[in-house]
């Protein structure tokens, strides 16, 4: 049996508890499909600062480099939030990890669940059927450009810079994803103002020539922010740079009704990383109320990236089935409230004994595949 090494970085806040549920489910998958997953735990974020003084210790990076995939929980702690000037911050761990693993593409699928439409702040008929992915560039742009500050604090600058090859590789990925979906790419930029955006347009248009059956649409980011809530169903694959993607993906996350449902994948040159998008949610830590579905669905994306499509499909089926039964964590105001741990148990159980799930498969509407 081939051993698959998974680096597990539970991180801060609710990170450990939701990650633990994902591991329960992965173990159930291993049992059912005869896989051998080896978990290598490592610290990142505030917990790593507390233990070593470094938000991304070398050992953690080495563990990730040596693994087949990284399962990531969350980072962040309120004790750092009020002091953005702190010399070491948990976020630096995540940014360094992205840069070191060269995770240049962050993939955030956004889809709605029929039983949860009422939770969206948008009108049900606007969001029903919305199903798109945001492809955010993750290792360039203003996040990583040169930063300056005058010693007398009279001026500061952040440089936004992109190289052609950085745009090319993620643009190709966007067209590849669109090819397996509804064949439309929307490039979101600010080409009416920014030179980097104009380069994004030129480069992406060039790549588009290799994909004649895929529609390429351009949209300014301010308009996109509006269109996302006015008519989200128009989108299939949204391609955008780092900062715009950060903002738009948080905006898009409310469409599904709960952040606790949305997984993400970051892929690039080295080991791919999978994480729920919700962050560390410190107020909920240790209360067994956090929604583990996003972490569990991130594990499904992880399996898919390793070619385990049936396994990923089964996890999604189980998540969907539970939601359709009206079972969920408190923030979903479900008919039947389960804690974080019990959701993990239930999904792991269904994955171990999926006969009933498969029986109902026709009724449980699974979403479009999110990984190619
Ligand atoms: C995200 C987060 C990070 C980002 C922070 C924690 C640095 O908001 O993953 O979207 O801005 O990229
Ligand atoms: Mn963000």
């Amino acid at each position: 049996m081939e051993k698959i090494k998974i680096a597990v970085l539970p991180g801060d806040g609710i990170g450990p508890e939701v990650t633990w549920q994902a591991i329960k489910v992965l173990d159930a998958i291993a049992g059912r499909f005869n896989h051998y997953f080896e978990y290598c735990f490592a610290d990142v974020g505030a917990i790593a600062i507390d233990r070593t003084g470094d938000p991304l210790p070398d050992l953690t990076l080495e563990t990730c480099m040596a693994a087949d995939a990284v399962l990531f929980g969350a980072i962040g702690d309120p004790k750092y939030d009020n002091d953005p000037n702190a010399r070491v911050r948990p976020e630096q761990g995540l940014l360094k990890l992205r840069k070191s693993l060269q995770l240049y593409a962050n993939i955030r699928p956004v889809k709605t669940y029929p039983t949860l439409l009422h939770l969206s702040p948008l009108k049900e008929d606007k969001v029903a059927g919305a199903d798109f992915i945001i492809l955010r560039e993750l290792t360039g742009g203003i996040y990583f450009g040169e930063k300056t500050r005058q010693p007398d604090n009279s001026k500061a600058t952040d440089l936004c810079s992109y190289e052609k090859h950085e745009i090319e590789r993620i643009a190709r990925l966007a067209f590849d994803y669109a090819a397996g979906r509804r064949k439309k790419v929307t490039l979101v930029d600010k080409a009416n103002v920014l030179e980097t955006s104009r380069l994004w347009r030129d480069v992406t248009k060039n790549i588009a020539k290799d994909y004649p059956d895929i529609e390429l649409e351009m949209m300014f980011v301010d308009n996109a922010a509006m269109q996302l809530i006015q008519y989200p169903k128009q989108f299939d694959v949204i391609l955008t740079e780092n900062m715009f993607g950060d903002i738009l993906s948080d905006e898009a996350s409310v469409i599904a009704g709960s952040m606790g449902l949305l997984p993400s994948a970051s892929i690039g040159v080295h080991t791919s990383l999978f994480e729920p998008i919700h962050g560390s949610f410190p107020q909920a830590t240790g209360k067994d109320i956090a929604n583990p579905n996003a972490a569990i669905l991130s594990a499904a994306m992880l399996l898919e990236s390793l070619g385990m499509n049936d396994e990923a499909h089964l996890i999604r089926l189980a998540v969907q089935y539970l939601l359709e039964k009206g079972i969920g964590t408190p923030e979903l105001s479900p008919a039947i409230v389960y804690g974080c741990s019990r959701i993990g148990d239930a999904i792991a159980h269904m994955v171990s004994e999926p006969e009933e799930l498969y029986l109902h498969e026709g009724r449980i509407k699974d979403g479009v595949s999110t990984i190619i």
Side-chain angles (χ1 to χ4, degrees):
M1 205 187 302
E2 191 200 351
K3 182 166 80 176
I4 292 167
K5 275 186 161 180
I6 302 177
V8 183
L9 278 51
D12 306 322
I14 59 168
E17 48 199 289
V18 295
T19 304
W20 192 241
Q21 309 316 314
I23 289 180
K24 280 183 192 167
V25 175
L26 285 172
D27 278 342
I29 288 284
R32 177 78 196 176
F33 290 84
N34 223 7
H35 295 306
Y36 175 18
F37 299 140
E38 183 186 80
Y39 307 109
C40 311
F41 289 83
D43 289 329
V44 70
I47 183 108
I49 300 177
D50 292 346
R51 287 184 179 154
T52 69
D54 183 348
L56 182 70
D58 290 345
L59 186 61
T60 299
L61 186 54
E62 284 160 27
T63 306
C64 293
M65 281 286 193
D68 296 299
V70 181
L71 187 62
F72 193 96
I75 52 143
D77 189 288
K79 68 183 175 205
Y80 298 97
D81 286 352
N82 297 326
D83 182 12
N85 281 318
R87 211 179 41 82
V88 256
R89 300 177 47 78
E91 290 82 0
Q92 292 162 342
L94 183 56
L95 295 177
K96 185 172 161 205
L97 189 59
R98 287 174 181 166
K99 200 70 179 174
S100 309
L101 296 176
Q102 294 183 55
L103 302 172
Y104 60 79
N106 181 233
I107 302 140
R108 293 189 175 188
V110 177
K111 59 170 276 185
T112 51
Y113 293 87
T115 48
L116 300 178
L117 292 177
H118 62 283
L119 293 177
S120 174
L122 306 179
K123 294 202 181 75
E124 289 190 29
D125 63 310
K126 292 252 195 253
V127 291
D131 181 352
F132 58 90
I133 64 172
I134 298 186
L135 210 55
R136 164 189 173 194
E137 202 290 329
L138 205 55
T139 51
I142 197 166
Y143 270 62
F144 291 96
E146 189 198 353
K147 298 175 191 307
T148 70
R149 170 101 78 119
Q150 292 289 340
D152 67 355
N153 288 333
S154 61
K155 184 180 170 188
T157 63
D158 293 281
L159 179 71
C160 181
S161 114
Y162 269 107
E163 288 182 28
K164 186 176 166 201
H165 76 97
E166 295 177 295
I167 303 167
E168 267 170 356
R169 59 189 180 183
I170 191 166
R172 272 198 197 284
L173 204 59
F175 286 103
D176 288 341
Y177 271 105
R181 298 177 49 97
R182 298 195 312 276
K183 302 200 166 26
K184 180 174 164 187
V185 172
T186 306
L187 173 64
V188 172
D189 62 23
K190 190 74 186 172
N192 47 349
V193 178
L194 302 177
E195 204 53 48
T196 41
S197 286
R198 289 192 272 269
L199 183 65
W200 270 80
R201 279 203 182 194
D202 291 346
V203 173
T204 305
K205 276 185 194 161
N206 243 329
I207 300 283
K209 291 181 192 149
D210 295 341
Y211 298 85
D213 60 334
I214 298 195
E215 181 194 348
L216 172 62
E217 170 189 69
M218 320 281 177
M219 198 180 275
F220 294 142
V221 62
D222 45 356
N223 184 26
M226 188 174 73
Q227 298 283 336
L228 261 179
I229 48 176
Q230 246 177 1
Y231 186 36
K233 280 182 250 191
Q234 71 183 287
F235 296 109
D236 182 21
V237 175
I238 294 178
L239 168 65
T240 192
E241 64 92 58
N242 203 345
M243 173 90 132
F244 297 158
D246 178 47
I247 298 166
L248 292 182
S249 58
D250 266 28
E251 185 191 357
S253 72
V254 301
I255 291 171
S258 167
M259 270 202 156
L261 293 167
L262 299 178
S264 81
S266 299
I267 64 175
V269 176
H270 300 290
T271 322
S272 300
L273 179 148
F274 302 84
E275 69 178 305
I277 76 154
H278 51 58
S280 62
F281 195 13
Q283 306 87 323
T285 307
K287 294 188 179 156
D288 199 34
I289 56 168
N291 189 341
N293 278 317
I296 291 169
L297 292 169
S298 299
M301 291 184 88
L302 182 157
L303 295 176
E304 217 168 20
S305 78
L306 300 172
M308 298 181 185
N309 297 331
D310 293 345
E311 291 84 336
H313 176 69
L314 182 55
I315 294 177
R316 294 206 181 99
L317 220 50
V319 167
Q320 187 101 0
Y321 187 70
L322 220 57
L323 292 173
E324 284 188 14
K325 286 245 172 212
I327 299 173
T329 37
E331 95 284 5
L332 302 177
S333 313
I336 306 163
V337 176
Y338 274 17
C340 176
S341 174
R342 207 161 158 211
I343 298 273
D345 290 340
I347 293 177
H349 176 76
M350 282 190 280
V351 162
S352 304
E353 292 172 25
E355 286 66 31
E356 195 185 330
L357 279 183
Y358 285 134
L359 217 59
H360 288 83
E361 185 167 2
R363 280 198 320 98
I364 310 171
K365 280 187 49 225
D366 194 23
V368 186
S369 169
T370 48
I371 282 270
I372 41 168

